[in-house]
Amino acid sequence: MSIPAFAASTPARQPALGWRIACVLLGVLATGTSLLITVIAGIERGATLAERAAWIATGVVLLLAAHLLPALGRRATLIPKLAGLVLWVAAFLAVGYTHTTFFLNAQRGTGEQRAERIQSASPAQVAQKTRSRTAIAADIATATRTFELLKVQACDARCEGLHARKMATQARLAALRIEDQEAQRAERIEDAGAAAAATLAQDRALARTDPFVGVIAGFTGLSLPVAGVVIAACLGWMLDGVAAVAWLYATTAFTVPSDERILQESVRHAGRAEVRPVVANPSIEPANDVFCAAEPVGTPGVEDTLAASVVRTTCDQIHTQPVRDEASEVERLTSAIEAGCLLPTVGAIVGYIGCSQGRALALRQRLAESRPELFAIAARA
């Protein structure tokens, strides 16, 4: 007499409701944030209203494609999946460009605000307009030459005039020296102002740079513009990746796996299932990996037909037993598992009893507590 064999794999359970809600909320939040960024970036790119509307529409379409294509094409065949993968990669890169533009513009605007708040430490001193020191030095040289010539000139009859010329030349030299000092002071003020302006410009340039970008640029050796672009692109792609994975998880959570649907359908009709003989070649496994019967190699005879009839009759009797309470359900499930008509899984119990998954899980726990050997028998089979 043949013994029914069970499939080795166990169908996965659906995720909890809280996990589903968390995936949906995360997807909505990430997609909503990306939509806001796309709208702002489209407004900043366009000059006219029509251009802005076109940029926003293009960004929204590419954004939705980058976020939802993995979830929408999850059950597609191979060729549509490959085409969708190519389009998804292109849309993902395009949306990253849009988000990079937004982040760079936001960093630039914030940097300008920080730079405007930086003021000079001291009020700037305005240097007085003076002649160049080169011209003053030339005049000083001329006056000094004249004075030295007057000093060596002999006084014959008009000594008062020579003395007056000497005094005038000395006064001229004194005035030129004072003018030279004023020119030097003006140069110092001008140099100090230039140094203060250079320091202020450097501080404002540093304030325009995002601190994190500056640290990354110094650590990696990249220039500040390149480091800013790389960081902005990574932030945008991370946001899009979170949204795409969240929607993929959310749609997977709300969908019953195909193998579990097959198992439930097979177990639902387990009482009416026909016991199929195994092909003579032992290396070929049965086509139905959910419920099958291992028959002896060769042509089935009278004894095999009687054995299959006994198994079908037993499964029909167990399947049509009336259900009164939980103990009766556990007893019915025990008889079905021992007879080889049922897998000890939540999905199989749901299809066999026709109850909810919570009820099936409670019954399975009762079976595990009362008859743990049933699970060992199913695993060996």
Side-chain angles (χ1 to χ4, degrees):
M1 186 174 181
S2 60
I3 301 176
F6 294 99
S9 60
T10 302
R13 302 174 185 172
Q14 288 193 13
L17 180 60
W19 192 81
R20 300 177 183 176
I21 295 176
C23 291
V24 173
L25 290 179
L26 182 60
V28 170
L29 181 61
T31 302
T33 304
S34 297
L35 285 173
L36 178 61
I37 292 174
T38 302
V39 171
I40 296 175
I43 293 174
E44 293 177 348
R45 286 175 179 174
T48 63
L49 182 61
E51 292 177 355
R52 293 174 180 175
W55 274 112
I56 292 173
T58 303
V60 169
V61 171
L62 295 176
L63 173 67
L64 295 178
H67 288 190
L68 300 179
L69 273 181
L72 296 177
R74 188 170 54 87
R75 294 191 175 276
T77 56
L78 180 59
I79 295 179
K81 273 188 176 180
L82 293 178
L85 177 62
V86 174
L87 292 176
W88 177 76
V89 171
F92 199 80
L93 294 177
V95 174
Y97 161 67
T98 300
H99 289 177
T100 301
T101 302
F102 167 78
F103 287 127
L104 290 179
N105 291 336
Q107 289 178 2
R108 186 179 299 110
T110 305
E112 291 295 337
Q113 291 180 359
R114 289 196 302 264
E116 290 177 358
R117 290 196 294 265
I118 298 178
Q119 302 295 333
S120 179
S122 59
Q125 297 180 357
V126 180
Q128 297 179 357
K129 297 295 183 180
T130 59
R131 293 192 303 162
S132 65
R133 293 191 63 194
T134 303
I136 296 173
D139 291 344
I140 291 175
T142 301
T144 302
R145 179 176 174 275
T146 302
F147 181 72
E148 293 297 330
L149 290 176
L150 291 174
K151 284 173 59 178
V152 298
Q153 187 175 358
C155 179
D156 295 335
R158 302 176 62 181
C159 294
E160 292 82 1
L162 180 61
H163 181 69
R165 291 175 61 188
K166 288 182 179 179
M167 294 298 295
T169 304
Q170 286 181 346
R172 174 65 177 167
L173 282 173
L176 289 173
R177 290 191 179 96
I178 292 174
E179 185 180 4
D180 184 62
Q181 292 177 358
E182 291 295 330
Q184 291 180 11
R185 179 174 176 274
E187 285 184 355
R188 288 194 296 268
I189 293 175
E190 186 176 356
D191 293 341
T199 303
L200 181 62
Q202 184 178 2
D203 292 341
R204 286 181 174 177
L206 185 62
R208 291 186 184 95
T209 304
D210 188 91
F212 180 75
V213 174
V215 172
I216 295 299
F219 180 75
T220 58
L222 299 173
S223 62
L224 288 176
V226 174
V229 170
V230 170
I231 293 175
C234 290
L235 287 176
W237 284 329
M238 286 175 60
L239 180 61
D240 297 327
V242 168
V245 173
W247 286 118
L248 181 61
Y249 285 172
T251 54
T252 304
F254 282 109
T255 305
V256 181
S258 58
D259 55 351
E260 183 162 344
R261 289 202 305 269
I262 295 173
L263 180 61
Q264 292 179 3
E265 186 67 23
S266 301
V267 176
R268 190 174 294 112
H269 301 284
R272 299 182 297 275
E274 293 291 335
V275 180
R276 298 180 289 104
V278 177
V279 184
N281 186 0
S283 62
I284 300 178
E285 296 181 356
N288 187 359
D289 61 344
V290 178
F291 185 83
C292 61
E295 294 291 343
V297 178
T299 304
V302 178
E303 183 178 354
D304 297 331
T305 304
L306 291 175
S309 177
V310 170
V311 172
R312 287 196 303 271
T313 303
T314 305
C315 292
D316 289 336
Q317 291 175 355
I318 296 172
H319 190 68
T320 55
Q321 287 179 0
V323 179
R324 293 180 297 274
D325 52 12
E326 184 175 351
S328 301
E329 290 179 347
V330 172
E331 183 179 356
R332 176 184 174 189
L333 293 175
T334 302
S335 302
I337 294 172
E338 289 178 344
C341 304
L342 181 66
L343 285 170
T345 61
V346 175
I349 295 174
V350 169
Y352 196 76
I353 298 295
C355 60
S356 63
Q357 286 193 352
R359 179 65 174 171
L361 180 60
L363 292 174
R364 188 175 184 275
Q365 292 177 352
R366 286 286 303 274
L367 283 173
E369 294 173 359
S370 60
R371 298 292 300 276
E373 67 274 6
L374 297 177
F375 295 86
I377 294 173
R380 288 195 300 269

